[in-house]
Amino acid sequence: MAQAVKRLFPNAKLAIGPAIDEGFYYDFDVEKPFTDEDKLKIEEEMKKIIKEDLSIERFELPREEAIKLMEDKKENYKVELINDLPKDAVISFYKQGDFTDLCAGPHLPSTGKVKAIKILSSSGAYWRGNEKNKMLQRIYAISFPKAGQLEEYIQLIEEAKKRDHRKLGKELDLFCFSDYVGSGLPLYTPKGTILKDELQKEVEKICRKYGFQKVSCPSLANISLFETSGHAQKFNDELFRVASPKGHEFVLKPVQCPHHTQIYASKMRSYKDLPIRYMESDKQYRAELQGSVGGLSRVYAITVEDGHSFCRVDQVKDEVINMCNIIKDLYSKMGLWENHWVSLSVRDYGHPEKYIGTKEDWDLCEKMLQEVSDELNLDAKKCEGEAALYGPKLDFMFKDALGREVQIPTVQVDFSTPKRFGLFYIDENGEKQYPVMVHRAILGSYERFIALMLEQFNGVFPTWLSPVQVKILPIADSHIEYANQVKEELQNAGIRVEVDDRQEKIGYKIREAQLQKIPYMLVVGDKEKEANLVGVRSRKDGDIGAQKIEDFISKIKDEIENYVR
Ligand code: ZN
């Protein structure tokens, strides 16, 4: 791409051009932004370069010669980059035809190996991301080794646009935003709230089986709480600070862990009391960069389903196993379990100074997590440098509709926080001991999880999660009374149901309920009213015929209780 740009715009200066998760970009210093027409021309030129099948050759130069080469080509950004390289760095270049670029490599053997390219977009970008520097023009593009892969990619993007959770959330009336309230602050509608509450009930039901107890803490705290935990330093410019004219000074909690430590600290604890497990679904607040918020995936107020276990060292492994089992249980119910891999996120062994805690604690924790992975067949992949500040973790990675990875559930072992807060228990010899804290998030945040589910299922939730499970559709006004009778029976059975009593044609009502992805529609007319029946339509199979009301109720209840998808 850089070669194509240089051929078409010889005065363009080259800045940086890295590969990214989705393709690559290159920043150019040019007189004016690239137009759509420019981009088409660049794409054509790139295709020509591919046809020319230029061989790509690597060569290395000593620093002085490297700088001279770039100075001769008037590439001042490259000169700056070379000057910033460490003294002992190998300075390599790649040459294809008349084009040479500074690059660490590696590269393909020749340009002909590329079989498909597409320019995706362009935008302004500051040199080195600093707004005090010059604004450059960035072009994003992608390439593939097979032509068919580009077609697939374009299809995937189109499909992802249709499945965008922001679009689906609006269509299904789940959440909204208001300029009065402020961006990055989602409002859940009645239907969205049902969805969120159902998820919460389900997680809590599973966690209660594993001994978790619910607690409830305020959103505010003295800054000293987070200074002690280390979060004030870590989140620093992401903290919301709250002051009142009466002199109060608080911060909005960026995490819930420190509050939970204080419930633990409220009583004397014996070794026999452990493990003590708390859970809470509550809002936490982080001041993300303005402009980076959007939809549900990036918000200022996230609802986190958080939990902590305070336990003895000899209990840590079982605690981690329990938490992994909770995750497996819930994600299997959701039909998401097949779609994941696990990262055993360990420290960066070259930089122990980046972490809190002793080497012995870390070694022990990492070993324990490896054992858990082996015993549960998690097949966790060791990822160096991905650990939390206070300990290693198991991160469960899922794929969104675009195939991008998102980390949602996590289990983290933490020897450090209890020490920072001076938490203790009395062991069997009457001595004070520090407990270990195991953090776990099952849904991550409700916002992220709902966004993932919406996109994954294209808005089609299993019946147990659907905000409206049944829509009753009277054919004419004379059937409304009967429809309301049926509604009452269903409601009494604990089913979420609505009647569409508008004066619309039945075909229209069916279409609309279908678009709302409601699992069941019950059509009621003269025939059904007389025989005490309902005409059942499912969103999956269409018309499945008339049924007795009690038969329909027992069938749908069975479906709900068994989490049928
Ligand atoms: Zn925590």
Side-chain angles (χ1 to χ4, degrees), residues 231 255-258 260 306-308 390 412 437-440:
H231 291 102
V255 290
Q256 350 239 37
C257 336
H260 289 188
D306 203 1
H308 300 101
Y390 46 68
Q412 314 185 354
M437 197 170 170
V438 187
H439 308 245
R440 62 118 190 95

Side-chain angles (χ1 to χ4, degrees), residues 242-256:
V242 185
S244 83
K246 298 196 176 77
H248 302 104
E249 274 185 39
F250 289 118
V251 291
L252 285 171
K253 60 180 174 192
V255 290
Q256 350 239 37

